[in-house]
Each structure stands twice: as C-alpha cells, then as structure tokens.
Amino acid sequence: MIIWDALISQPRADHLIIAKYIVIVLSLFFFPYISILFGSLLYALGLNVKGRADHNPLEIRLSADIMTTFGGGLGRGFFLGILPLMVIGVAFAQILYDSDFNVVLHFGTILVLATLGIIFSFFARNYALEIEAKEKLFRITATLAIVFLFLTIYGFVATTSLMYYPGKWATMKTGLPTLFSAIVFVRLLWALTFSLGLTAVAMLFFFFIWGDGLDFGSDDYKRFVRYFVAGNAFLFTLLQPLFVVWDLYIFPEIGKTAAVYNLSAGFVLLLMLCGIFLYQVIIKQNERLGSAVFPLYILGVLLFFISDHAGRETAYQEHTNYLLAQAEQLKQQQAMEAAPAAEEAVSKMELGKQIYNIRCAACHAFDRKVVGPPHFDVLPKYVDKKEELVKFILSPVRVNPEYPPMPSLGLQPHEAEAVAEYLLEEFQRQKQASGQQ
Amino acid sequence: MKEKIIPIGIVGYFLLMVALIGVLGWYWQNFQKTPVQPIEFPHNVHVGKLKLDCQFCHKFPSKSKFATVPSVKLCVDCHKTAATDRPEVKKLLKYWEDQVPIEWLKVYSFRKNANVNFSHKPHIRAGVDCSTCHGRVDQMITARKTRNINMGFCVSCHRQERAPTDCWTCHK
C-alpha cells in the first residue's frame, strides 16, 4: 500500500488522459477474466452436483472439461486478474487524486478478494483433475472460490458505481466498498448474467471452434455439450438488455451524457447479433454458425466499458477540472522555480513574483486599470508600510466604491509577505524606469 | 412458419430494448439536460481561480427568496477591462452596448404544479453548504445540474437535521 502511495504524485494533464485509457483497456482484461473464472466454476459445480443426483455421466464429464479448460492457473490469474486490477487501481488513484474517494481502501479490498478467489479456483481445478477421488474437496474449494469471486465482482461494481456519487465519497471514505443502492443491485444482476453468458460463449468458442477444440469422443456427448453451451449463452444474452435498460432508467443525473445512451444502444445491438447467431446454432445444430459470437461479446463489453467510463467522467468532471487547474498552477510554479534556481538570495522575491503572476496579474497591472486599480495609483500610500499591505492582501476591505471589492485570495501569511515585498520593490523599480524616460 | 416467427421475435425484442434506450436518451436530451447558456460563463474561473464569493454575484436580498443571478452591470464592472480578448467576453460586452439583459436559462427548478415554496435563506442561515444541493459549482465550467432535487431529497435531510417536515412548510 505504501508503494501505491509512492507511485502516485499529483497528476499532470496528460496523466489523466493516459489513466482513462488504462482503465478502459485493462478492465477489458480484468473483468472478462474474472467473469469467466466465476462463470466456469458455477457451471462446473452445478453440473457436478446435478450429475451426481441424476446419475448423468455426461454432466459429470462436462463439469471436469470446463474445469480443465477454464480453471485458474496461478500465472494466468496473476497476469489477467491481479496485475490489471492493480494498474486500474493506480490509474484511478491518479484520476481521483486529492479527492475524498479512498482508492487504496476500495481497490485494496477487491484485490484481496480477487486473490483469494483465484487461489481457491486453482485448488478447485487441481481437485477436478482427480474428480473421482477428490470430489468433496473440489466442491468445497469451488464453493469458496465462487463466494470470493462473487464478492470481487460485487466490490468492483460497487466501487465503480460509487464514483458516480462525488457527494457520497466523504461518507464512504473509511468504509469498505459497501455501497448498496438500486444502481449497484441492477449492475450486479447485469454482471452476473454477463458472466454466465460470456462463459457459455467462451465454451462454445474454445470447445468447438478454436484450434482442435475439445476431444468429445462420442456424438452423444458432443450434442449434449452443444445444447448446454448454446442454450445458456442464448438465455443469458437475452437477459442482459433488460438490465442495461433498467440501469439507464435509474442512471444518476450527474453522469448523464449522450455517449452513455449511444454506446449502450450499440451494446444491445451487438447482443442482438449474438442472439441471432446462437439461435442458429441451436436450431441448425451447427456450432460453426456461432464462431463470431465470442469476438462480438468482447467488442460488446468494450463498448460497455467506454460507456461506463464516459458516465463516470461526466459525474466527476468537477474533480477533473480541479486537478487540471492544480496541474496548470504546478506547471507555472515549476517553470518559475526552474529559472532562477541558482540564486538563493532572491528566492523570496521570486516567490513573490510567482504568486503575483499566478494570483494577482489577472486583475492588476501597474499602469492601467484591469479589474482592480492600477498599482501606480494605490501603492504610494503603502510605501514603507509593508505590514498594512500584507494585511490588506490577507483580508481585503472595500476601499474605492468605483471598483468591485477585491476577493480574499486565501494566501498564507508568508506568501502575502513575499507578494507585498515584490510589489513594493517592483513599484520602486518601475517608477524609476518611467521617471528616467 | 415457426421457423420465421421466433427469429423475428428475437430481433423484435432486442430492437424494442434499443428503442427504450432511445426514448430514455430522448427524454434526457429534451427535458433533463442542462441547457446551453447564451454566454458560457465559467464558474471555475471566477470562483475556483479568482476566488470570488458566491454571494458576490448571487445576492440573497432579505426580502426575496431567490438567489438572484447577477445583472450584466456586475460583469461589466470587471470586464470593461478584464479578458476583453476572449470571444465569450466580447459577446458579453455586446449585450452591454446594446443594453439588453442576458437571458440566462434556469438550471434548477421545480415542477410548476408542485407549488413548492422554497427559500435559500433558512438554509444559508443553518449553514447548509451550496454544494449539498448544487454540487461543486466552484469547479464547473457552466453551472450544471448534478442531482435531481425532488421531495425525497428535501425531506430526508429535514428529517435528519430535525427541520420541519409538515406539508405546509414547503407547499403553499
């Protein structure tokens, strides 16, 4: 966690843009990976339990095949699950820098849950390889993995949804990602149907289409797998649009933007294509007709993540504006600091000049009226009275009714003193310069 | 026959969902979206950068219950000279020369038939922050609606803060 903090310094404008793309692209690894891991465990455990109850060897066998194909290896789990999640966390730490959103706590929690889920799924897979001897252990570890992966998905959905509510960040600052509201509920339902749909689609792809596919042995088994896979894929493809529409219906006002509606519509249209293909697979008993479905699903989830991020960005755009303003200020300060770095003696003068250029120059000039009066008109009364000038800068009072009042700028006392010193010095210099002409 | 009906049903179902999304988007576009103002007045420049106080522009006169939106005169006090090269400020000065008021569009309002009697005064007196209801205006470019101000929102805070919750407090 300390490393995380160290990685993260005040973001520059371009960091924020990079962070945005990191979130979208790496979500595309993390989320489908966790979804397939979760979905495959759920299918495998369900088939195992049901197969024993029905004395159906086909179901038992499919359960084992699912585990061997999709069950988690630790390396895969790290590179497709843990690592992307950590980088997404760092990206959000930049995007939400200096806000009340507790990125470390929220993403740290998800990270722990995901790690546990991946470890248990690794054991479940190993036990599934010797299912006849280790069936009980398989069931226990698979159940644990399912629980932790479910919590991972919930944590991810709740955390990314919480980002839509800047007003709630402060109250959730020390809490776990336990936001539970209608929107989290609907998105969780979507995530679960998506997970089961995507897993079935991935099975269709990796069992039948990719490379040599699965060695089915018998036509009976092949037919059984085809029905199971295409049927589930079809069902969960059909269910998803309901939650997409429901989500948009209760979508928070603060995040609404045209991109959300357009991309969601695009997502549903892709699901429609998938639905048609899957229906063909079932009716025509030809799995080749479904070869495009897996890529279409991945494209669909890409649209979903772009849409989701567009909404989030709209929701916290005030915070982004704030960071951009801070970055601009930092850049100016660094430019100032870089220039006279050699001369320590003038540093207070330089500080005064810096602050003046950033904070005062928008409203003041020496020789003409901008928002405030020209310095030549008002500074004479402050010559040799630096303290009074400092006092005025720290808490301006109304002086001349012809001008609007000067706002309080919230400077630190030492900053105000530096500005005052600079201003009086510069006043003398400019006065002499104009006197000589 | 059946071979045709089911695929058509599937396509119809998905297209219905797309149509629903379209309706939601259309409703937002026409009834909820923050309107485009005649001048893009940046709150973040004036509040975030120049640190002007909200009430420098939004005066809450003791007689009126509205937070007034400032007149062109107030802007021009500064903008006769400040940032006169920016296109939006040029627009502003045109209004001033032509002596026409700027028609700012309302961002926040209640439904007319709800007859709500809202006043800023008690809330400011009780120290409720502007951002509770309006979001972080100091960092907004143009003021935008960050939440739907409905009865549930008012009443839940009143309950929490032990402010009156009788119907006639808010409805006339």
Side-chain angles (χ1 to χ4, degrees):
Chain A
M1 298 302 144
I2 295 163
I3 305 172
W4 271 38
D5 282 341
L7 272 174
I8 293 151
S9 51
Q10 182 174 340
R12 300 196 319 245
D14 49 345
H15 290 177
L16 293 174
I17 297 170
I18 297 169
K20 162 187 168 162
Y21 289 110
I22 286 180
V23 168
I24 293 173
V25 171
L26 291 189
S27 297
L28 206 55
F29 288 89
F30 169 76
F31 195 71
Y33 174 72
I34 292 289
S35 295
I36 291 182
L37 204 55
F38 173 79
S40 58
L41 280 158
L42 208 58
Y43 280 127
L45 184 65
L47 283 166
N48 179 279
V49 172
K50 188 159 175 295
R52 288 291 173 222
D54 304 350
H55 302 291
N56 184 342
L58 295 183
E59 288 176 343
I60 303 277
R61 187 168 158 206
L62 179 55
S63 165
D65 279 338
I66 291 174
M67 283 318 291
T68 38
T69 313
F70 295 104
L74 285 181
R76 215 195 287 172
F78 180 77
F79 283 109
L80 291 175
I82 303 296
L83 195 59
L85 180 61
M86 291 203 299
V87 181
I88 292 172
V90 173
F92 272 126
Q94 287 275 291
I95 292 173
L96 301 174
Y97 180 81
D98 199 11
S99 75
D100 285 332
F101 195 95
N102 195 333
V103 175
V104 174
L105 175 74
H106 286 76
F107 276 87
T109 312
I110 307 173
L111 197 63
V112 171
L113 293 168
T115 309
L116 287 170
I118 287 170
I119 290 174
F120 280 117
S121 78
F122 170 72
F123 284 119
R125 172 176 183 257
N126 286 354
Y127 293 134
L129 294 179
E130 350 168 27
I131 190 73
E132 298 307 328
K134 301 269 174 67
E135 185 158 78
K136 192 150 188 195
L137 280 170
F138 164 71
R139 286 187 183 176
I140 292 170
T141 46
T143 309
L144 283 169
I146 287 170
V147 169
F148 283 116
L149 290 172
F150 173 82
L151 291 174
T152 305
I153 292 173
Y154 168 69
F156 193 70
V157 168
T159 299
T160 49
S161 302
L162 177 58
M163 290 174 192
Y164 279 93
Y165 301 90
K168 290 189 186 165
W169 291 353
T171 50
M172 293 271 173
K173 198 172 173 173
T174 50
L176 293 172
T178 47
L179 176 78
F180 204 85
S181 58
I183 196 132
V184 175
F185 177 70
V186 174
R187 288 176 170 208
L188 188 60
L189 287 180
W190 170 75
L192 297 181
T193 46
F194 169 76
S195 163
L196 292 170
L198 177 67
T199 310
V201 166
M203 287 197 262
L204 182 69
F205 190 74
F206 288 104
F207 287 169
F208 290 97
I209 290 152
W210 184 254
D212 297 334
L214 198 63
D215 180 12
F216 289 103
S218 75
D219 269 357
D220 252 7
Y221 182 54
K222 187 170 181 183
R223 201 172 317 116
F224 169 74
V225 175
R226 189 194 302 121
Y227 269 117
F228 182 83
V229 164
N232 276 299
F234 183 64
L235 174 68
F236 290 113
T237 301
L238 227 48
L239 285 177
Q240 285 178 60
L242 293 175
F243 301 120
V244 173
V245 172
W246 191 358
D247 176 49
L248 286 179
Y249 182 66
I250 58 176
F251 203 79
E253 182 102 28
I254 189 171
K256 283 182 180 172
T257 167
V260 169
Y261 294 98
N262 295 338
L263 292 165
S264 298
F267 179 44
V268 173
L269 286 174
L270 284 179
L271 287 177
M272 177 173 86
L273 281 182
C274 295
I276 294 168
F277 285 134
L278 290 168
Y279 179 73
Q280 298 293 325
V281 172
I282 299 172
I283 291 301
K284 304 246 164 79
Q285 304 203 11
N286 180 357
E287 59 280 350
R288 290 269 142 204
L289 294 169
S291 49
V293 175
F294 185 61
L296 283 177
Y297 246 71
I298 296 294
L299 189 61
V301 75
L302 174 65
L303 288 193
F304 179 85
F305 278 125
I306 298 176
S307 145
D308 192 31
H309 199 75
R312 265 199 307 269
E313 258 182 346
T314 309
Y316 54 60
Q317 61 174 262
E318 280 78 33
H319 185 70
T320 309
N321 287 345
Y322 163 76
L323 288 180
L324 290 175
Q326 293 284 317
E328 184 61 25
Q329 208 171 330
L330 187 72
K331 210 166 92 187
Q332 288 183 6
Q333 254 168 33
Q334 282 170 345
M336 300 282 176
E337 275 161 20
E343 300 159 64
E344 283 293 319
V346 297
S347 68
K348 191 167 181 189
M349 227 38 191
E350 278 304 323
L351 177 69
K353 186 173 169 191
Q354 265 173 43
I355 297 173
Y356 180 83
N357 284 328
I358 298 172
R359 306 297 296 278
C360 320
C363 293
H364 287 291
F366 273 84
D367 52 351
R368 66 197 158 81
K369 179 180 165 198
V370 186
V371 173
H375 290 321
F376 281 145
D377 291 357
V378 291
L379 284 184
K381 67 178 182 236
Y382 289 113
V383 172
D384 294 332
K385 286 185 195 149
K386 197 178 81 185
E387 281 67 39
E388 275 181 33
L389 183 53
V390 172
K391 217 169 97 195
F392 175 80
I393 295 170
L394 284 175
S395 52
V397 286
R398 184 129 221 187
V399 185
N400 185 342
E402 282 173 31
Y403 287 99
M406 173 164 139
S408 167
L409 295 157
L411 296 181
Q412 299 292 319
H414 77 276
E415 293 173 327
E417 193 173 322
V419 176
E421 220 160 87
Y422 164 76
L423 205 54
L424 291 172
E425 183 81 27
E426 184 69 14
F427 173 60
Q428 295 297 352
R429 207 180 59 74
Q430 296 222 6
K431 205 170 63 174
Q432 274 168 19
S434 56
Q436 277 163 7
Q437 276 169 6
Chain B
M1 196 56 201
K2 194 170 150 236
E3 276 161 40
K4 284 233 175 81
I5 285 183
I6 294 179
I8 290 173
I10 295 170
V11 172
Y13 162 80
F14 279 103
L15 289 183
L16 175 69
M17 293 296 155
V18 174
L20 285 177
I21 294 174
V23 170
L24 290 172
W26 174 83
Y27 182 80
W28 167 75
Q29 182 82 27
N30 289 289
F31 297 105
Q32 293 184 310
K33 195 175 169 187
T34 304
V36 178
Q37 301 288 355
I39 291 179
E40 191 178 289
F41 167 77
H43 272 89
N44 61 345
V45 170
H46 295 85
V47 185
K49 192 167 163 199
L50 299 176
K51 300 273 188 288
L52 291 176
D53 198 54
C54 306
Q55 298 195 31
F56 176 68
C57 293
H58 301 296
K59 306 237 184 328
F60 295 90
S62 47
K63 278 174 232 90
S64 160
K65 63 197 178 83
F66 297 114
T68 54
V69 170
S71 65
V72 188
K73 165 91 173 57
L74 184 91
C75 315
V76 171
D77 275 349
C78 290
H79 278 292
K80 246 182 279 168
T81 46
T84 47
D85 53 332
R86 319 269 169 88
E88 293 295 307
V89 176
K90 283 187 183 143
K91 260 201 245 166
L92 172 74
L93 291 171
K94 184 94 173 53
Y95 277 92
W96 177 246
E97 278 164 25
D98 301 350
Q99 294 288 320
V100 282
I102 305 172
E103 301 279 339
W104 300 113
L105 300 169
K106 284 206 78 130
V107 181
Y108 287 91
S109 55
F110 300 117
R111 264 178 290 159
K112 294 247 162 16
N113 57 1
N115 283 327
V116 180
N117 176 33
F118 173 78
S119 166
H120 277 88
K121 248 187 305 157
H123 298 98
I124 294 169
R125 219 184 311 117
V128 181
D129 203 72
C130 308
S131 64
T132 318
C133 301
H134 296 305
R136 287 187 64 183
V137 181
D138 61 330
Q139 297 297 343
M140 283 176 194
I141 298 174
T142 47
R144 68 172 186 131
K145 213 166 148 186
T146 53
R147 64 166 311 128
N148 189 4
I149 297 200
N150 51 23
M151 180 159 143
F153 172 61
C154 310
V155 172
S156 68
C157 174
H158 273 214
R159 213 168 276 142
Q160 212 173 352
E161 300 283 328
R162 305 207 190 304
T165 51
D166 308 313
C167 309
W168 56 85
T169 331
C170 305
H171 295 289
K172 278 277 137 71

